[in-house]
Amino acid sequence: MNGYPGDWAQRTPAQKREYRLQQFVNPTHIKFVSPEAEKAYKIRAQRYVDAYNVKEPDRVPVNLPVGDLPNILHGVKTHTAMYDIEKAIEACKAFNTKYSDELEYHAMPFAAPGKAMEILDYKLYAFPGHGLAMDAPGYQFVEGEYMKLEEYEGFFRDPSDFWLRVYLPRIFGAFEGFRRLPPLTDILEIPTGQLMALAQPQVLEAFQKLVDAGKDLQKRNAIMAQSIDPGAAHGYPSWMGMGVLGFAPFDAMGDTLRGTKSIMMDMFRNGDKLLKAIDIMTDIIIYSILHNPMIYSAVTASFPLHKGADGWMSPKQYEKFYWPSLKKLMDALINEGLICQMFAEGSYNTRLEVIHDDFPKGSVVWWFDQTDMASAKKILGDRFAIQGNVPSSLMVTGSPADVKACCRKLIETCGKGGGYIMAAGCIAENPKLENLRAMIATARSWEPRA
């Protein structure tokens, strides 16, 4: 799909959402490997659509928390997957050959481009061989104050200039030379003086590193294009491939810019500045998502909600600093027919009455980590789909019997009337294969009790 239908602007949000859902169930861009795969795909896709629309599907859909198990079973470490994408592809193909049919899951390589990130000296995350040991099993976010208090004004004046000449040099060592560039808005008419900055060795070095990283990414992308075997073509729709990713405006400020300690202090000492910055960030995120090249075929917009959890801020602070901007963002996307998939990390027990807002039925999916699901079903379940709450720790350390008992309880609690999607509460690293089998088997066989 290269764009929206010609009458898109005249359609209602509900009509736009229905269009996206139908494109998902009956895709024209997928070349299925067989008629059987096409039939299986449509059944599984319809299962998601029914859940999103808060209808009872033929059975509860499952987002299986496979995590990095394909790599582990194939002996591929995270560092190898990041730096040698062919090894990660090989691991996924081996996993799919052996387990796709029984797990109804098609693994795809999910590894950050290690060499490109190393060339650019990315500092926001530590990863194997770059801040972590070579055999480390994953990544680690590096908490920091990447926008100083005194830099709010620069962010207000020109966010793009702040990003280019201040923020990016802080999180990418390769961008250090960009500090020496003049503001791009200074380039008016004959740019004699402004162009001189390009002659500085530090600036030339920065651009050369961008070229080097680009060449590595080009090589990596070519390998993936030739080797990747999409799961949808084999009959397995993936929730990860259904949409675009975004961030709550408060989280974008707290994670990406100010850092946890500083944004907590800002709520008390610099509330007006923080709210103004959140307003600007909200508009930036809305624009970025709605101009994402993937938006035309997207069904969902997914948001990991980091700092809105119970205990992180008071209910009063949540309703002042967190929820208004998030709701504005959700409203804008829902108006374009997107289903907002909100990953509420931690617990959201004290937020349930607030988030039960006037969104249209079927326009939001609440993905819960540790929230009380009986309360979530009672408060939200008549209008919105809910998913999650299978503990990741259970998938990693529990027994198949424990997993089955947990999944049965969740289906009994949340499955009646539809609108429940079974999923782990958060990413499960190295889950037990037998527990994945137990999870999918429970979804296949268990129905809500009357």
Side-chain angles (χ1 to χ4, degrees), residues 3 40 186 218 224 242 244 300 311 340 348 378 395 423 429 436 442:
D186 285 355
Q218 190 176 51
M224 293 184 68
M242 291 168 62
V244 293
T300 61
C340 293
Y348 250 59
K378 180 179 179 181
M395 299 301 297
E429 293 186 358
L436 296 176
T442 305

Side-chain angles (χ1 to χ4, degrees), residues 19-66:
Y19 175 84
R20 293 184 186 277
L21 291 173
Q22 288 306 310
Q23 290 292 306
F24 171 58
V25 175
N26 299 291
T28 58
H29 63 286
I30 296 175
K31 185 177 181 180
F32 293 100
V33 298
S34 68
E36 293 76 18
E38 181 176 8
K39 180 179 178 181
Y41 172 92
K42 292 183 177 181
I43 290 172
R44 291 165 180 150
Q46 187 62 51
R47 204 170 280 152
Y48 278 104
V49 170
D50 288 343
Y52 291 156
N53 287 329
V54 198
K55 296 179 180 178
E56 240 179 71
D58 62 330
R59 65 174 171 84
V60 170
V62 180
N63 289 341
L64 204 64
V66 171

Side-chain angles (χ1 to χ4, degrees), residues 99-249:
Y99 301 114
S100 272
D101 285 345
E102 66 169 310
L103 296 179
E104 297 184 24
Y105 182 91
H106 189 92
M108 296 283 283
F110 183 72
K115 186 175 180 180
M117 290 169 62
E118 185 176 313
I119 291 170
L120 298 176
D121 188 18
Y122 188 52
K123 301 176 185 294
L124 200 59
Y125 275 79
F127 51 91
H130 192 87
L132 295 179
M134 292 286 286
D135 60 350
Y139 317 99
Q140 179 61 55
F141 179 73
V142 180
E143 177 75 24
E145 187 181 42
Y146 298 103
M147 184 179 86
K148 310 298 183 183
L149 176 61
E150 62 271 17
E151 292 169 346
Y152 264 113
E153 295 303 323
F155 175 75
F156 295 156
R157 182 176 60 255
D158 189 341
S160 291
D161 183 62
F162 172 81
W163 231 258
L164 181 66
R165 299 192 303 120
V166 180
Y167 174 67
L168 290 181
R170 283 202 180 118
I171 68 166
F172 288 103
F175 280 77
E176 185 62 32
F178 283 15
R179 296 182 188 275
R180 297 172 175 267
L181 292 174
L184 297 184
T185 46
D186 285 355
I187 300 177
L188 301 171
E189 297 196 16
I190 301 177
T192 305
Q194 291 81 1
L195 289 178
M196 289 303 102
L198 299 178
Q200 298 181 65
Q202 298 91 335
V203 176
L204 289 171
E205 182 183 4
F207 280 114
Q208 184 58 55
K209 288 181 178 178
L210 287 176
V211 170
D212 293 343
K215 288 181 178 178
D216 180 71
L217 289 171
Q218 190 176 51
K219 178 182 176 182
R220 186 177 188 270
N221 291 343
I223 292 171
M224 293 184 68
Q226 293 174 1
S227 306
I228 290 295
D229 192 13
H234 292 266
Y236 305 103
S238 169
W239 69 268
M240 291 187 68
M242 291 168 62
V244 293
L245 179 67
F247 295 91

